[in-house]
Amino acid sequence: MSQAVAFGAKRGSDDKPGATRIPKAARVKNKTPAAMQITAEQILQEVTDRQLEKGAPPPKQPIRNEEELRDYKMRKRKTFEDNIRKNRGVMSNWIKYAEWEAGQKEIQRAESVFERALDEDHRNIGLWLKYAEMEMKNGQVNHARNLWNRGVTILPRADQFWFKFAYMEEMLGEVGKARQVFERWMEWEPQEQAWFSYIKMEMRYKEVERARKIYERFVQVHPVTKYWIKYAKFEEENGYLAAARNVYERGMEFFGDEHTDESFYMAFAKYEERQKEFERVRTIYKYAIDKLGKEKCTDLFKAYSQFEKRHGDRLAIDDVITSKRRLQYEEQLALNSKGL
Amino acid sequence: MSESEDSSGNSTTSVSRDDVTQTADSSQSTTSTTRLSLVAERLRQLKEKRESARKENIAEVAKEDYENRLPLNHLSKERRIEWEKRDFQARKEAQESGLDYDREKLLSERADEVEKWEAKRKRKKNPDQGFADFQQASYRQYQRLTKQLKPDMEAYESSKSSLPESALYPSVDTLPTSSDQYPTHSAVQRLVDDVEKQISKRKQFSRRREFKFGKDIDYINERNKKFNEKAERFYGKYTAELKQNLERGTAI
């Protein structure tokens, strides 16, 4: 006889195919709402209250000898492995396991757990970082180095690896090795923050010549006027004034007339003003206004007029202001040629 | 007054007989005595000046020494105390005359100055821009750590002479050689300490919130609670009305 019904139920003729049959005892006779209704809120409240009234916690059993320790460890390991088996992809299971092993000072076991986790997901940056941090925390310098080398080879665009690798070498006082890390990183032509951190590192050890060479490479890799200006400022701050001027001039050559923007001209002019070369400042401003065309010059004009107010004579100020006004009137005419 | 030699050969300045033995009635004699007394007077005055100068100098030195020993902010502290006294006085007066002191003060402040003060107060140095992505956060941490890093310049300078060129300025292809030393114990310890400091700082970034009794429980679980809080944060302001309707049982 085919078993398709719940126990005690009778097969009815008007049963729809696939309908579950409720046993007779459970069939509801009175379908009116009860006098006292309960809400979900109240159920939740009662549950939480009951939970808060928890009884005494289980007794603390201190571990007294080797055997108890081994038992405890085995139980914990079994829990961890079960969790991993339940949910292999969730990294926190792996990481908690490995961190616990590291806490027990079982470094080799922790390493093996981390390696298994890396087999699971080698692109998880957090996992690599936790692994490397475990090695560094336990003073395993060469292990950490190997690990960073692997990480940096497999995921070269993960900046965190490079930063932390270089920082580790610097912390150990291995400046040469830190340099090599940065050099390897610069081969990948990373974003500007990477370059700046390399330059800052060299400046920390007062290696101005090397910092200059890095700046040279940097402005070729990221040809933006902002970084040329930053390069020139770096030269100026370290007192190499002729080199700073050279940078500005080369920048103008590099970008040519079409791509030099007004911020570059303004920075150059301000530099010359600091060097008290006022004639050069005037030539720069005039050249910039000439080359840039009328639309992009608003800030430049402002800066020029301020400069003249500071250092120029009356004629020069008038000159600037009239040329500015002329520009404005030309614009207005262009907009509204019929009548003003 | 003339210098003359004694019989023993010592030179003495002696007042010549002429100057001393003068009769009161001869005019020449009075001028001589007055000249003498004038000279003596001048000498006395000079001595007095010297004495007073010495005393003043000592007093000045003592004062300067006292001021040097004071803490560096003593001037600004004094100014602050003065200001507080005046402020207290003004506040009392305002209270007596029935005016609202704070409003009165606001009326006398210039608008542009007030703007500057407010902006300065708000501007924290290097405030946290919030989380953009992990790379950004990592870079921020790196900047903070390297700012705190104090490079050991002496060890570096000494290594410049002891280590070969390729070890200190390696290129990309330089391979580690067998002569590479393992870092010293102190260096490794420094690394370990730093890593532990990083870990402890990380723990400070999110703190445990206290449990609020009496708040409605709409969760079955801790995880559920966090999720509900998150949903409330994002959708709370849009669903507030709906929620009220549901609680009431009828829509308005």
Side-chain angles (χ1 to χ4, degrees):
Chain A
M1 204 143 120
S2 61
Q3 295 286 326
V5 300
F7 76 98
K10 288 216 172 86
R11 213 181 282 184
S13 52
D14 54 348
D15 269 347
K16 299 188 188 61
T20 47
R21 296 176 183 93
I22 306 168
K24 191 170 177 185
R27 256 178 246 157
V28 176
K29 298 232 167 45
N30 183 6
K31 294 197 182 158
T32 55
M36 191 66 89
Q37 291 286 319
I38 195 163
T39 57
E41 256 180 359
Q42 192 172 357
I43 296 173
L44 288 175
Q45 187 77 45
E46 283 179 2
V47 164
T48 331
D49 289 341
R50 282 199 200 134
Q51 273 181 354
L52 290 173
E53 295 165 2
K54 259 183 279 195
K60 280 202 188 172
Q61 292 170 324
I63 296 169
R64 288 197 180 80
N65 53 28
E66 282 279 341
E67 201 184 309
E68 283 185 17
L69 180 64
R70 269 188 278 123
D71 282 344
Y72 163 75
K73 281 189 183 172
M74 192 175 81
R75 266 182 288 123
K76 282 289 268 196
R77 282 178 188 142
K78 188 168 185 320
T79 334
F80 282 126
E81 292 284 353
D82 281 344
N83 283 335
I84 288 170
R85 216 177 313 129
K86 280 182 220 164
N87 206 338
R88 193 167 297 264
V90 167
M91 268 312 138
S92 63
N93 287 334
W94 292 103
I95 292 175
K96 278 189 216 162
Y97 185 11
E99 294 287 347
W100 178 83
E101 290 285 10
Q104 298 293 315
K105 297 295 173 209
E106 304 259 11
I107 310 290
Q108 278 195 333
R109 282 179 185 265
E111 281 171 7
S112 109
V113 174
F114 270 123
E115 290 294 340
R116 284 164 63 199
L118 280 175
D119 282 341
E120 191 55 45
D121 183 8
H122 68 279
R123 298 193 72 87
N124 188 326
I125 295 179
L127 178 62
W128 284 99
L129 292 175
K130 284 267 182 234
Y131 188 2
E133 191 183 76
M134 191 273 294
E135 297 286 16
M136 292 198 290
K137 197 162 103 156
N138 290 292
Q140 315 257 31
V141 170
N142 282 333
H143 275 227
R145 277 181 183 148
N146 287 339
L147 190 64
W148 283 128
N149 274 315
R150 274 167 67 196
V152 137
T153 315
I154 293 175
L155 297 169
R157 292 293 176 187
D159 291 348
Q160 298 97 309
F161 292 173
W162 295 104
F163 279 130
K164 290 189 190 284
F165 190 5
Y167 183 68
M168 181 185 93
E169 296 293 2
E170 227 188 306
M171 256 291 140
L172 291 167
E174 303 272 356
V175 187
K177 290 207 161 53
R179 280 202 184 103
Q180 199 177 27
V181 171
F182 272 119
E183 283 293 330
R184 282 166 69 189
W185 194 8
M186 295 307 131
E187 284 209 312
W188 288 94
E189 299 189 356
Q191 53 173 339
E192 66 276 6
Q193 291 164 346
W195 292 95
F196 291 148
S197 40
Y198 187 10
I199 290 161
K200 275 205 189 110
M201 190 213 78
E202 292 290 5
M203 290 311 290
R204 238 176 280 139
Y205 295 96
K206 314 272 193 282
E207 301 266 357
V208 185
E209 189 51 48
R210 284 190 66 92
R212 183 175 296 135
K213 288 211 187 82
I214 300 163
Y215 256 119
E216 284 290 332
R217 286 160 62 192
F218 169 49
V219 291
Q220 297 293 329
V221 165
H222 289 282
V224 182
T225 48
K226 190 165 72 163
Y227 301 142
W228 279 90
I229 297 170
K230 208 164 153 115
Y231 179 13
K233 281 223 172 85
F234 159 79
E235 293 283 16
E236 200 186 329
E237 274 162 18
N238 287 298
Y240 298 93
L241 303 169
R245 183 171 291 128
N246 191 11
V247 169
Y248 278 120
E249 286 167 4
R250 271 191 303 143
M252 277 178 61
E253 269 179 54
F254 181 82
F255 288 107
D257 288 336
E258 318 87 54
H259 297 293
T260 328
D261 55 8
E262 59 173 356
S263 60
F264 189 87
Y265 287 122
M266 282 197 336
F268 191 3
K270 287 217 173 82
Y271 163 75
E272 293 290 6
E273 200 182 322
R274 283 193 287 268
Q275 306 308 314
K276 311 249 192 295
E277 301 265 351
F278 299 131
E279 269 314 307
R280 281 185 73 101
V281 181
R282 286 199 188 93
T283 38
I284 292 165
Y285 275 125
K286 289 206 177 87
Y287 183 81
I289 291 163
D290 191 34
K291 289 292 173 187
L292 280 181
K294 309 295 178 183
E295 316 84 44
K296 306 179 209 164
C297 275
T298 42
D299 281 337
L300 205 67
F301 260 119
K302 232 195 290 186
Y304 189 11
S305 47
Q306 278 174 353
F307 161 73
E308 290 294 359
K309 280 177 197 155
R310 277 194 292 264
H311 300 287
D313 52 0
R314 213 191 145 62
L315 281 172
I317 298 173
D318 285 342
D319 197 27
V320 178
I321 293 177
T322 46
S323 54
K324 196 158 125 189
R325 295 258 175 78
R326 189 191 301 133
L327 183 68
Q328 280 178 335
Y329 294 149
E330 277 177 9
E331 278 178 18
Q332 283 184 335
L333 270 178
L335 287 172
N336 201 351
S337 55
K338 293 253 172 69
L340 249 158
Chain B
M1 302 233 271
S2 56
E3 287 207 2
S4 55
E5 283 232 289
D6 233 357
S7 51
S8 54
N10 301 328
S11 69
T12 53
T13 357
S14 57
V15 178
S16 72
R17 221 164 274 277
D18 295 334
D19 291 346
V20 176
T21 54
Q22 296 291 338
T23 50
D25 32 336
S26 76
S27 58
Q28 206 184 34
S29 67
T30 44
T31 51
S32 299
T33 40
T34 46
R35 213 188 309 137
L36 164 65
S37 56
L38 279 175
V39 164
E41 182 67 30
R42 266 198 63 210
L43 184 63
R44 197 177 58 78
Q45 277 176 358
L46 283 172
K47 276 191 183 161
E48 246 185 61
K49 270 196 192 162
R50 193 177 64 186
E51 268 304 307
S52 64
R54 195 177 69 92
K55 285 193 187 133
E56 275 177 28
N57 273 347
I58 289 173
E60 278 291 323
V61 163
K63 196 171 91 165
E64 230 182 282
D65 184 52
Y66 172 70
E67 276 176 6
N68 278 347
R69 284 183 206 279
L70 286 173
L72 289 167
N73 63 349
H74 71 280
L75 278 171
S76 49
K77 245 189 143 72
E78 271 174 38
R79 268 189 269 136
R80 173 98 195 149
I81 292 169
E82 286 295 313
W83 181 88
E84 275 180 10
K85 261 197 252 171
R86 276 187 272 124
D87 190 56
F88 183 69
Q89 206 57 30
R91 200 175 280 274
K92 237 177 26 175
E93 284 169 10
Q95 229 174 10
E96 280 162 15
S97 54
L99 298 166
D100 188 358
Y101 177 67
D102 288 318
R103 265 189 84 92
E104 291 297 309
K105 213 160 69 139
L106 284 172
L107 285 172
S108 63
E109 285 173 6
R110 283 163 50 191
D112 54 348
E113 275 184 5
V114 168
E115 270 176 28
K116 265 191 255 170
W117 293 337
E118 289 289 315
K120 198 171 181 187
R121 214 181 51 182
K122 269 199 189 148
R123 210 191 319 145
K124 207 173 75 145
K125 285 175 230 161
N126 193 18
D128 187 7
Q129 306 286 349
F131 177 78
D133 57 32
F134 284 109
Q135 286 206 2
Q136 204 61 26
S138 171
Y139 178 55
R140 190 181 156 84
Q141 186 201 30
Y142 178 74
Q143 279 182 310
R144 175 175 54 87
L145 289 171
T146 47
K147 254 185 231 164
Q148 294 169 356
L149 177 84
K150 305 268 182 305
D152 193 355
M153 290 306 292
E154 294 158 12
Y156 181 60
E157 295 293 330
S158 64
S159 72
K160 265 194 192 172
S161 42
S162 58
L163 286 178
E165 189 68 31
S166 62
L168 207 52
Y169 301 110
S171 72
V172 189
D173 329 307
T174 320
L175 291 169
T177 59
S178 56
S179 62
D180 269 357
Q181 305 276 21
Y182 192 77
T184 57
H185 181 74
S186 62
V188 174
Q189 195 54 45
R190 195 168 58 206
L191 175 70
V192 168
D193 291 338
D194 189 77
V195 170
E196 283 174 358
K197 237 199 305 184
Q198 284 177 39
I199 293 172
S200 63
K201 179 101 179 68
R202 214 186 300 148
K203 287 204 168 70
Q204 291 176 18
F205 285 147
S206 39
R207 64 177 169 92
R208 217 177 151 76
R209 311 285 158 165
E210 60 179 36
F211 180 77
K212 290 202 177 83
F213 287 97
K215 213 173 189 185
D216 266 349
I217 295 174
D218 53 354
Y219 50 84
I220 56 167
N221 217 340
E222 273 300 314
R223 213 174 137 80
N224 190 193
K225 180 168 136 201
K226 290 265 178 319
F227 179 81
N228 288 348
E229 280 169 7
K230 187 179 183 181
E232 186 64 36
R233 241 185 291 142
F234 286 101
Y235 297 116
K237 57 178 180 263
Y238 305 112
T239 56
E241 246 185 65
L242 184 62
K243 205 168 176 184
Q244 281 169 13
N245 289 341
L246 284 169
E247 301 239 334
R248 221 176 300 122
T250 48
I252 286 192

